[in-house]
Amino acid sequence: MNDNKRIGFDVLENTDENKIKEMGADSPILTEKTKERMLKMSKEKFNKAKGIKATENTYTDNEGYTVSGEAETYKRSTIKRIVTAAASCAAAVVLIGTTAFMLRKKPEKPVVPDQNITTNADQNVTNTGTTVTGTKRNAITLTTGLQTETTKMTTVTTNVVKDFNITSPVPQSDLDRAREKVIDNAIKNYNFAYNIRYKYVDLNADGTSELIVYYNDAYEVIEIYRYNGSEYVYDINEYGQNDNKIFFTSAPFISNDGKCIRLINQEGGLVFMYVTMGDDYSINFETFGVHQDWEDFEAHRNEPGYQDKTAFYHNGKKISESEYNSLREERNAIEFTEMTDFVFVTDQSDPTRAERQKLEAEEQEHKEYRKLHPHCDDYGSLEVNTTYWENLGIMDGSTNYNMYYKAEYCDGTTSEDMRISPFLYLGEEYDYNILSVVIPYGENDYGPCHVTVYVAPENEQEYFELFEGDMDFKNRTWQTDDEEIDRYIDSEFSYFSDYR
């Protein structure tokens, strides 16, 4: 039911901080129990999906940089990391204002028991064309359509030859023309990029300057381009992306002789990066890292009294603390100066600006819609403990169930949605005994809304009715016709209209 949106990170730059706090976790709209559950659910789902392990860690490097809090190890590609982080941060700002609005969309075709329902719940499931006939009372069958998504690789100009054989000085006008092509591509195609800048640096002192493109995303980013005699090019990695793109979290520095760039990344640890160029035009990276010893953690975390340990790395290889400090002292002898003389190009790339304008238009549209429908952001939620049905032998406590609901309002309108995957309750693992459903407030709701809830084992298409009841939005109550079932259903109402 919800449309997928890409949201620019710059939303945070232009949003009033007090307004964000009012809309966020500190808002009195949600109960403490709900806020804690939502925070835990979001954090664990994100970490599990992206392969991030988090734990408390504090370390002070011999240069005075201190890392504390939750140290994270990232296993995803850098380009995915940036897009995800930017979109997640921006989405948090507009979550409250848009979620209920999208939930409020009505299906074009009402759904009734014993009728086939088509959904795009799992895009990876192939529809065999076979319809499963329901045999249970009040059963419905959902089928999924085939959708095949082909990854599209963008064709880029690259050159991995290390020796460009440039034997004569290159006119600055030629370098400028080559630079304009690179910058034009960044402006037109970079998502979530802002404050785009550039600088010429002759890293290998051969008389021909390399091009450094510097911009902000969720992190700081620099890209290193080399002139091949006609244009600025870069090496590509196995993903078809710029292999000389570096993400970091603080200002870039350059050695006083102009041959080495120093970057610092404090994303879940402390990593120093030293970037140089060889005579064969190869880009060389030397890294020094300090973060939690995950190998030790995995091996001993369940032992009584276990305490986290710190690990030291050089170019990805674990070394001793004394080796680390010795190598760092050698690098500290190099004098660096902050790179500040970048040429500013634009505050936002075209895709970023377009996304911001789109978001502003949608927010204005929703504001006008809210004037006519003051309850459009209000909703009720049901948290269902399946223990009751397990005791009856209807459900299996070790099985993950998907949930589908249909709501019929007093004015004849309907709302429906399907929830995929188990509900993440408080704790480290999924609680398969807890299911949840969110039901939007109905327009012209002169009386209780009648809700029917269906469930189906994961990877099965046949849903059977679990229970039905009435949700009274005006009086903020929920009730079935069975008092025993009521004991296993918790209802909660969130009315944003109360705080406008």
Side-chain angles (χ1 to χ4, degrees), residues 482-496:
D482 190 326
E483 294 183 359
E484 182 66 17
I485 292 180
D486 286 341
R487 294 173 49 195
Y488 293 87
I489 303 174
D490 290 333
S491 62
E492 188 170 353
F493 294 84
S494 299
Y495 281 23
F496 296 97

Side-chain angles (χ1 to χ4, degrees), residues 120-137:
N120 61 348
D122 187 351
Q123 305 293 355
N124 296 318
V125 178
T126 301
N127 181 14
T128 62
T130 302
T131 301
V132 180
T133 303
T135 57
K136 299 184 180 67
R137 175 179 173 272

Side-chain angles (χ1 to χ4, degrees), residues 43 53-59 66-72 266-269 291-292 294 308:
K43 183 177 180 181
K53 300 177 182 178
T55 186
E56 191 72 19
N57 183 39
T58 301
Y59 175 78
T66 301
V67 182
S68 62
E70 290 188 338
E72 302 169 345
Q266 292 176 275
E267 179 197 15
H291 57 75
Q292 170 141 2
W294 291 111
D308 296 338

Side-chain angles (χ1 to χ4, degrees), residues 396-410:
D396 182 358
S398 62
T399 300
N400 175 24
Y401 287 85
N402 296 330
M403 175 181 284
Y404 166 79
Y405 85 87
K406 176 182 176 182
E408 298 176 332
Y409 301 92
C410 291

